[in-house]
Amino acid sequence: MTPMVKVSGLTKRYKGLTAVDGISFEIPRGAVFGLLGPNGAGKSTTVSMLSGLIRPDAGEISIEGLDLWRRPLQAKAAMGIVPQEIALYPSLTARENLKFWGRLYRLGGRELSRRVEEVLDLVGLRERANEPLEKYSGGMKRRINIAAGLLHNPRLLILDEPTVGVDPQSRRAILETIKELNRQGLTVLYTSHYMEEVEELCSLVTIMDRGRIIASGRVEELLQLVMDTEVINLEMARPLENGALLEGVPGVKGVLVEENRARVMVEESRKNLAPVIEAVTAGGISVLSVVVEKPSLEAVFLHLTGRGLRDGG
Amino acid sequence: MRGLIPFYIALKDLLVLLKDKKALLTLLATPLVLILVLGSAFGSFWSEKAAPSPVLYCNDDQGQWGAFLFEEVFALPALKEKFTLEETRDLESARELVRSGKAAALIHIPAGFSAALLEGGEARISVWGDPGSSVRAQVVRAVVERYALELSSRRVVYQTLGELGLGGEEFYPRAERLLEALQLEPRIEDGLQRTAAGGMEPEAMDYYAAAMGVMYLLMTTTTMAGKFVQERQDRTLARMLQAPATPRQIILGKFMGVFLTGALQFAVIILASAVIFQVSWGSLPGVALLAAASVCGAAGIGMLVAALARTPSTADAAGLFVTLTMSALGGSMYPLFVMPPLMQAASKVTLNSWALQGFMKLMFAGGDLQSVALEAAVLAVAGLVLCLAASYCLRGEAG
């Protein structure tokens, strides 16, 4: 079966900086494909190329077997895009916004009205559909932002960091909506730097760093890379100057310092937790709290790059 | 459905503007207030009688119809109080006087004009006047055009009688009787009287209705430019480009949005000023053509500002600068016809000057659709050229 998306050798350069460096991947139909990486990894540039917004310097993209740059209108009609920004008109009501975006996707008449009501129901905002968006909360705007990408019943939904800046309740609603849409057969490309979301939603994950793909596969497969590694999160009374205090402590594979917090990758935390705390306190720093995490995609990234997902490029 | 995408974008832009109450107040109410204030403030100043303007003429015709124009037509009271005729034999110097603004116009009737008229040959009257010069030059042109039109009616009668073989001694009395029966003779007088009376001194309220209308038209289109740039910043433009719409459709839609908004605003100003201040805009088809062309020109300027500005605040500042500069230079603040010739020449680079020149012809010189064709063409072509330049600058939007 033709994959929903096929990307090969995709490259984009900006004034000497290679934002995306020859990446290739495929998204099978019906999958939720996660594109994970820190800010500046090249996720948004990849999404912009996939959605036909920017032209790659090299490489090919096909959507349902259609070359995106040779048959852009047909390929774009198969996609629903949910940009990272709330790309809507604040002075217009939710219904007016959705009708405008629906018309751009060639919907009209009763079909447009029906789809507008359906997506409003889906995101749970039908009751407030006649209010201008400027009166909405951030989370509600995000939900309309997603609804606008669903109007034309796309076969592929591309969501670029759709939960940035939303409250936990709205985030949960968004994630549940995406899961439900996928159950109905929609293929989803989901980019985020929140590893928990990607772990929860995605069947396939590709991790990008500095424009390149550094790992890809099923979530379980990626977690195998760090199966023997756990992360000890330490909160301290004052910042750890650097990770030098923990060098030489048995089982420590890496340390990530963020102000007065430290993330310490260790083998067998049960055995090595005490030596880690002792080394910190021996350096004159009080430990306020300790949390041990199970292996995660964040640990995978830390394992592969020596950096955290949230500390950027 | 695809072909309607530009239309949907334009409608959305109009809807967004209609929901912006502050912008609506600025773009609709403010010009009407300014028309009232400026029209009232300068009304008495404008109503003062101006000295008659010199009109140069060179009559090489030996027949009656050349002389009739200068001895009878320009002797009509409505024309006499505005123009003093000065005969000249040196056409080159006379043209220079017109160019330098020292004479309102130059009329030349060549030798054999009356004979050609009677014999059915080519009969031509030439009028020189700076197209951007005072209303009075346009009145001279309108009077001569009207005279030529009336003479051509007379010529048809002569030709018909000639073709019927009704010549001989009875030819002219018969022609006069026929003209009288057809009521052409009184029409010459009436027509010229009307044209001359139509060429009255500009009314301040009328002038400022057109002047503020054009100035705020520019303000509207450059405001829309700012909103276009805002769309780039808010990423709604990117979202449009991600939809199955071509960049060309999107740019056309944005142009149509600017055009539609400008047209709506100008129509409101024209109607409101006509109803509230009894402004007489002149020939309806002429006003419609000139208004549409002005909107096209202003939309082109707005699109170029949108294409060149990177941020909404830059677009707003550039739009204000363009609007105020063009309005000051182009006659929206200070009347064109009292500007010195150099300033009048410089004003030709502005949209305001071309639009106001056309509206003055319609308002004060009895002009019609045909008489504003030049101004409308200049404005429309300028608008389209600027829009093409804007499209060229925006071509990179889709990567």
Side-chain angles (χ1 to χ4, degrees), chain A residues 40-72:
Chain A
K43 303 187 301 292
S44 288
T45 306
T46 303
V47 166
S48 293
M49 287 189 281
L50 275 171
S51 60
L53 186 61
I54 56 173
R55 192 180 277 273
D57 294 320
E60 288 177 0
I61 300 167
S62 68
I63 309 293
E64 293 185 317
L66 296 169
D67 186 296
L68 178 63
W69 290 98
R70 288 200 185 95
R71 299 180 69 185

Side-chain angles (χ1 to χ4, degrees), chain A residues 51 53 76 89 96 145, chain B residues 19 231 239-242 398:
Chain A
S51 60
L53 186 61
K76 284 178 181 181
Y89 300 97
E96 286 165 343
N145 206 30
Chain B
K19 294 210 172 199
E231 286 223 48
R239 194 168 199 166
M240 282 188 222
L241 288 162
Q242 288 168 324

Side-chain angles (χ1 to χ4, degrees), chain A residues 232 249 268-281 290:
Chain A
I232 300 170
V249 175
E268 295 180 75
S269 64
R270 278 188 197 174
K271 193 171 132 191
N272 294 316
L273 179 60
V276 165
I277 295 170
E278 279 165 15
V280 173
T281 49
V290 177

Side-chain angles (χ1 to χ4, degrees), chain A residues 51 53-55 69 73 76 81 83 85 87-89 91-92 96 100-101 103-106 108 145 148-149, chain B residues 1-2 5 8-9 12 15-16 19 231 234-246 397-399:
Chain A
S51 60
L53 186 61
I54 56 173
R55 192 180 277 273
W69 290 98
L73 298 187
K76 284 178 181 181
I81 314 286
E85 305 79 11
L88 300 166
Y89 300 97
S91 61
L92 302 188
E96 286 165 343
F100 170 68
W101 291 110
R103 286 186 183 113
L104 244 55
Y105 280 87
R106 307 176 196 178
N145 206 30
Chain B
M1 193 70 81
R2 250 184 70 193
I5 284 176
Y8 295 140
I9 294 171
K12 182 269 301 168
L15 185 62
V16 169
K19 294 210 172 199
E231 286 223 48
D234 293 346
R235 307 291 293 166
T236 43
L237 185 64
R239 194 168 199 166
M240 282 188 222
L241 288 162
Q242 288 168 324
T246 63
E397 291 286 342

Side-chain angles (χ1 to χ4, degrees), chain B residues 213 217-218 221 255-267 288-302 351 355 359 379-380 383:
Chain B
L217 174 62
L218 266 178
T221 56
F255 178 78
M256 281 171 64
V258 178
F259 185 91
L260 203 63
T261 312
L264 185 74
Q265 186 224 25
F266 211 10
L289 174 72
L290 194 58
S294 304
V295 174
C296 181
I301 292 170
L351 173 129
F359 283 116
L379 291 166

